[in-house]
Amino acid sequence: MTSSETPRAEADQVTGTARVKRGMAEMLKGGVIMDVVTPDQAKIAEDAGAVAVMALERVPADIRVQGGVARMSDPDMIEGIIGAVSIPVMAKARIGHFVEAQVLQSLGVDYIDESEVLTPADEDNHIDKWPYTVPFVCGATNLGEALRRIAEGAAMIRSKGEAGTGNVVEATRHMRQIRADIRRLTVLDEAELFAAAKELRAPYELVKEVAQAGKLPVVLFTAGGIATPADAAMMMQLGAEGVFVGSGIFKSGEPAKRAEAIVKATTFHDDPDVIAKVSRNLGEAIVGINVSELPETQRLATRGW
Amino acid sequence: MATAQPVIGVLALQGDVREHLLTLAECDVLARPVRRPEELAEVDGIVIPGGESTTMSRLLEVFELLDPLRQRLAEGLPAYGSCAGMIMLASKVLDGRPDQHPLGAVDMTVRRNAFGRQVDSFEADLDFTGVGQLHAVFIRAPWVESAGAGVEVLATVPESASAGDAAGRIVAVRQGSVLATAFHPELTGDGRVHRLFTEMVRRA
């Protein structure tokens, strides 16, 4: 099942196709993917109705506090989480670190997040994601960035937000930006699309595809600072097709309760009565950081390009 | 034609709801999402989409849809499930969670994630009884481990070099007015399986 195998005859089974990779993300829609650092947390997430878990060594809030180089997690720890739950398990590789990605594929993770939350390993190139059988999700702050990642083979896009802050303001900015960029493309004429592609620094073919469809060719989730059921619902109303919650759950007072409430609010994102009901008595939320007070060097969303 | 368009609901708790709605829209039916008991009460058929069966099962329970859905299925509501939907329609689930609630609409035992993890997800051509050859997309798919006497097998995994032990496994079934596939016709733009289901609804 390695990517180096040659294409097979029609009757044969073919793995690792764009349809299979992108299709996997379609199955996660309307769901919540939760950061977990132990098998026990993974079980809590699965019990709460998570559609997948993201296995990592430290949640972004701790990476912020502790500093240093943040890398792919210990394979033992990832395997422990794979063994603990029956839902899909994702894991993070550093931007551009194609060997971490090879290792994660060999461990059998279901999705790789090439993530700005970890310290980038290459300041010029992201991973060439096409040769892998495992699909990739990548962060983006605007449409151009999203399309560059898709051109490199990303099968799913998420907003970057500002991870580990418990502050949704940057995720809001990125979701609005991506959606506004898409809307703008849909009213351009054929000739203007060439200029738009240049402006977006994205392949013309992808720009044209988005202009025609009015949406990305892959699933769009939100991530970065989601801390409450209302945060998740707002992102869904802004056009996200699902939600990643990082530090927001296990850095809160009652993780199991909050996790379940965010799952419910994501499904009923357009029903304020349900959101009101699930938002009661969730205990302490993650304390949070005002992003405007964060120095530029501590902002994760500026990693990647 | 204008008078008798059946209403088909797509269970919209989680999963690829949009793709099912779009495919159904080509089948001359009224397709709408279902998240509440009162919405379920209005449909002539229900589609359970692809997604995470554990998540959907949990949400069915907390949003008080489980009993009404069981009730309507027991009364003969036509249903179609793809992938996670197949798992949910089964009478027994292997490798699931102990608190998963099989709906028991098809007398079959289904094995969850039977083909392996996402790196094992695949596409293949297969023969589908009553539809012909179609291109099928399997994503962390289940298979039918065993099916009761009243269950008609519509498709199996074809023999091929890459199929290995999976060759011959049951991946599409029908029992009465309930249809289930381990794969995702809604992802390929091929509406034939959905048309088969909407015809089943019209005749029910």
Side-chain angles (χ1 to χ4, degrees), chain A residues 47-117:
Chain A
D47 287 346
V51 288
V53 292
M54 176 76 71
L56 70 176
E57 232 156 40
R58 297 180 284 171
V59 294
D62 288 334
I63 292 174
R64 274 184 190 288
V65 174
Q66 295 160 8
V69 175
R71 311 177 178 92
M72 176 189 79
S73 300
D74 185 322
D76 255 358
M77 176 266 173
I78 294 169
E79 272 180 354
I81 287 171
I82 288 175
V85 293
S86 66
I87 55 177
V89 176
M90 301 184 167
K92 289 183 195 286
R94 283 179 267 177
I95 289 174
H97 206 313
F98 53 89
V99 174
E100 285 188 349
Q102 291 165 3
V103 170
L104 292 174
Q105 173 163 294
S106 106
L107 291 175
V109 305
D110 296 296
Y111 239 94
I112 294 176
D113 184 1
E114 185 183 16
S115 177
E116 71 283 359
V117 167

Side-chain angles (χ1 to χ4, degrees), chain B residues 122-143:
Chain B
F122 65 97
E123 302 184 36
D125 290 333
L126 48 77
D127 290 315
F128 194 112
T129 305
V131 168
Q133 194 178 74
L134 61 77
H135 189 69
V137 179
F138 293 82
I139 297 174
R140 282 174 55 97
W143 66 43

Side-chain angles (χ1 to χ4, degrees), chain A residues 28-51:
Chain A
L28 301 172
K29 284 192 300 191
V32 181
I33 300 166
M34 303 180 190
D35 276 5
V36 298
V37 300
T38 64
D40 282 343
Q41 286 187 355
K43 281 185 202 139
I44 291 171
E46 186 179 43
D47 287 346
V51 288

Side-chain angles (χ1 to χ4, degrees), chain B residues 4 13 15-16 33 46 53-54 82 97 114-115 125 148 160 167 175 184 188 191:
Chain B
L13 297 172
D16 69 338
I46 185 86
S53 61
T54 55
S82 70
R97 280 171 55 88
F115 292 91
D125 290 333
S160 76
Q175 184 173 25
H184 297 278
T188 52

Side-chain angles (χ1 to χ4, degrees), chain A residues 12-14 17 20 24 26-27 29 46-47 49-51 86 88 108 110 133 215 260 267 270-271, chain B residues 13-16 18-19 35-36 51-52 55 58 97 112-113 117-119 122-123 135 140 160 162 184:
Chain A
D12 264 7
Q13 300 179 0
V14 188
T17 62
V20 157
M24 168 76 201
E26 303 284 354
M27 301 312 143
K29 284 192 300 191
E46 186 179 43
D47 287 346
V51 288
S86 66
D110 296 296
T133 310
K215 67 184 284 296
E260 188 172 336
T267 294
D270 55 353
D271 187 333
Chain B
L13 297 172
Q14 190 272 316
D16 69 338
R18 177 177 174 273
E19 286 62 35
R35 287 183 301 180
R36 300 176 175 86
E52 265 309 309
T55 303
R58 174 153 189 87
R97 280 171 55 88
R112 207 166 145 243
N113 300 335
R117 305 191 66 83
Q118 171 59 16
V119 289
F122 65 97
E123 302 184 36
H135 189 69
R140 282 174 55 97
S160 76
S162 47
H184 297 278

